[in-house]
Amino acid sequence: EALPGRTLVILHSDHGEGFGEHGYRYHGQHLFDDLIHVPLVLAGPGLPAKRVAQPVPLLDVTPTLLDLAGAPLTGDLRGRSLLAWVGEQAPAPRPVFAEMLADANHSDRRVIINWPYKLQWGITFGEHTLYDLRADPGETRDLSRERPAVFRRLYARLRRWMSEEIEVSRPVRE
């Protein structure tokens, strides 16, 4: 039974679905926003109605829950609490990353979103595309040649993230 005034509701999705955008159907085939820009709704006591347009990673859900519960935020959490958005001043923007690891059915891909720009790197096939999500939310116009400085900056940051923050899991062999 829900306790009035003490119930927190969190609604989110881990991925979207493709309906033919960019030539893909279903999910798990690419990292365009139709698959990775998903709903995240927090509702509960002390949380004012507010819409945040800046992308945030789902890694922020766990620290937010801990923060709402009054539990300490440990240093090993990669995300940060979204309660910073409750105040009048939004927190400083930061890059959001997404990845799709290669397997029998998928190619290796990485993404960095540093609002309003998004860089996709299709590692398996050596593809790079840069989009301005504010001007082109459908990701139809590759700007990588038109904005080489933005491309180089985001590519360098994406490579740094890959070298410093990604933990590769290997199957345990007995």
Side-chain angles (χ1 to χ4, degrees), residues 45-154:
L47 296 175
K50 188 172 197 175
R51 181 178 176 165
V52 174
Q54 179 182 325
V56 297
L58 290 178
L59 287 172
D60 290 348
V61 171
T62 298
T64 303
L65 289 173
L66 291 171
D67 199 7
L68 284 166
L73 301 178
T74 62
D76 61 345
L77 290 173
R78 286 187 178 157
R80 66 181 182 189
S81 174
L82 294 170
L83 293 188
W85 291 99
V86 172
E88 291 299 315
Q89 185 165 344
R94 66 185 170 135
V96 174
F97 300 92
E99 63 184 332
M100 183 169 65
L101 302 177
D103 63 18
N105 299 311
H106 302 96
S107 60
D108 205 11
R109 298 175 182 271
R110 304 292 186 279
V111 161
I112 179 173
I113 302 169
N114 195 355
W115 189 256
Y117 294 105
K118 177 180 179 180
L119 174 67
Q120 280 204 59
W121 181 17
I123 299 167
T124 301
F125 301 108
E127 305 163 331
H128 297 89
T129 51
L130 176 68
Y131 302 103
D132 179 340
L133 296 176
R134 185 180 353 234
D136 179 21
E139 298 170 274
T140 60
R141 186 166 177 232
D142 179 11
L143 301 174
S144 58
R145 294 187 196 281
E146 292 176 39
R147 301 196 184 149
V150 173
F151 174 83
R152 283 191 304 272
R153 180 175 50 86
L154 292 183

